[in-house]
Amino acid sequence: MIIADFHTHSSNSGDCDIPMSVQIEAAINKGISHLCITEHMDYDFPETPDENISFVLDTDAYYKEFISNKEKYADKINLYFGVELGLQPHLANMHKDYISKYDFDFIIGSSHVCDGYDVYYPDFYKNKDEKACYMRYFESELENINAFNDFDVYGHLDYVVRYGPTKDANYQFNDYKDILDEILKKLISSGKGIEINTGGLKKGMKETNPSLDILKRYKELGGEIITVGSDAHFAENIAYGFDRAKGVLEKAGFTRYAVFKDRKPEFINL
């Protein structure tokens, strides 16, 4: 089984109400021995229909709680201090300044916002062709990577297909192959990894994020660094779909996956 969940959230994230200790205990009960908390830090996030959500992380408070739990559960699980940065090109200098202040074990770079829209909500797709929206999202990811690459893996690379009008029903890798190749080549040349994220499976997705075809292509192009994350915002979703993730990784040609400590990858065999 996969024993590391490297994309999880707790009540320090604006969209999660579950205490960190509850997430940790759920991981222990599910046989996870390596758990990274990766709270959201999204500067300049657009207003959403959901009131009272802020994605600006109180990192000092988060770190204090993390250290307390790391000590409490030291004999039961390996805990890692992580963050999920919401990338936008104009935030590059803010992100550089931010990460210089903390000793993170692991940093996910993710795209939640595209052209000022949160792609979670229908407004991004309103009166637009779905395929064009997906293409624009991928283009914006390449813009993000070119502006800032001080992260360890790019999160849920095709995240946008979780929320499009038809989700991944009509989504095919070949429709976006050229731009995805550019993204993957840029990540690989910069020594960056990607993750296999099982969060969309809970929402009825046909495949993980990213899809098997993207994972295969990453491997074909020479990519080796891949982490596994549930994107859990609830305790019951810790390590969700990890049996399936293992099979997907094997089909893509991987024999191992990574965990990160002090921003350096360590590998675990599948």
Side-chain angles (χ1 to χ4, degrees):
M1 63 175 287
I2 290 172
I3 57 172
D5 193 338
F6 256 62
H7 189 151
T8 65
H9 299 280
S10 79
S11 54
N12 292 287
S13 289
D15 58 353
C16 181
D17 297 323
I18 309 303
M20 191 184 299
S21 60
V22 174
Q23 300 289 61
I24 293 168
E25 290 178 8
I28 293 167
N29 291 336
K30 294 183 180 187
I32 295 297
S33 58
H34 299 71
L35 182 72
C36 190
I37 311 296
T38 53
E39 306 291 21
H40 286 294
M41 171 54 106
D42 284 67
Y43 290 118
D44 197 20
F45 204 85
E47 290 187 14
T48 72
D50 300 309
E51 296 180 1
N52 301 320
I53 291 183
S54 171
F55 288 107
V56 177
L57 177 63
D58 183 343
T59 312
D60 291 336
Y62 162 39
Y63 182 68
K64 182 178 179 180
E65 183 178 0
F66 172 83
I67 291 300
S68 176
N69 279 289
K70 186 176 176 67
E71 293 171 354
K72 178 180 178 181
Y73 294 100
D75 61 340
K76 295 182 178 180
I77 194 169
N78 298 294
L79 293 179
Y80 303 84
F81 183 53
V83 68
E84 181 181 10
L85 290 180
L87 303 183
Q88 298 183 64
H90 67 283
L91 300 177
N93 288 333
M94 290 181 70
H95 285 148
K96 289 175 185 176
D97 181 61
Y98 171 70
I99 65 173
S100 71
K101 297 176 181 177
Y102 299 96
D103 293 325
F104 290 109
D105 287 305
F106 181 57
I107 298 175
I108 301 173
S110 291
S111 292
H112 301 121
V113 175
C114 179
D115 297 335
Y117 289 92
D118 180 356
V119 303
Y120 178 91
Y121 293 102
D123 281 355
F124 178 65
Y125 313 91
K126 188 175 181 180
N127 299 323
K128 299 174 188 173
D129 176 72
E130 182 179 65
K131 188 181 291 187
C133 290
Y134 290 179
M135 180 63 76
R136 176 60 197 133
Y137 177 84
F138 292 133
E139 291 171 348
S140 74
E141 288 189 317
L142 187 59
E143 291 166 6
N144 284 329
I145 296 165
N146 286 330
F148 175 83
N149 70 359
D150 196 359
F151 52 83
D152 301 309
V153 305
Y154 214 99
H156 41 51
L157 198 67
D158 54 6
Y159 171 82
V160 68
V161 304
R162 285 190 197 175
Y163 304 109
T166 68
K167 301 188 185 298
D168 61 350
N170 302 306
Y171 167 59
Q172 297 183 47
F173 169 78
N174 284 336
D175 291 337
Y176 313 94
K177 184 179 184 300
D178 290 345
I179 185 67
L180 287 168
D181 269 9
E182 283 193 69
I183 291 169
L184 295 174
K185 288 175 182 178
K186 185 71 175 181
L187 290 171
I188 292 166
S189 68
S190 302
K192 309 304 177 185
I194 62 174
E195 72 165 352
I196 179 171
N197 185 301
T198 60
L201 298 178
K202 195 73 175 177
K203 301 177 184 295
M205 297 278 290
K206 294 186 300 182
E207 296 196 58
T208 59
N209 297 117
S211 66
L212 173 60
D213 285 335
I214 293 177
L215 293 167
K216 281 182 177 179
R217 187 60 177 153
Y218 174 70
K219 189 73 168 66
E220 289 170 358
L221 291 169
E224 292 288 344
I225 301 171
I226 190 154
T227 57
V228 186
S230 64
D231 211 346
H233 291 66
F234 298 94
E236 60 266 29
N237 294 343
I238 294 285
Y240 181 85
F242 274 21
D243 286 348
R244 184 168 171 183
K246 183 177 186 292
V248 171
L249 288 176
E250 290 171 340
K251 286 181 182 178
F254 290 92
T255 59
R256 61 183 188 170
Y257 57 100
V259 298
F260 277 78
K261 183 177 181 180
D262 299 326
R263 306 285 310 278
K264 297 177 181 179
E266 301 173 356
F267 292 94
I268 300 172
N269 291 330
L270 281 168

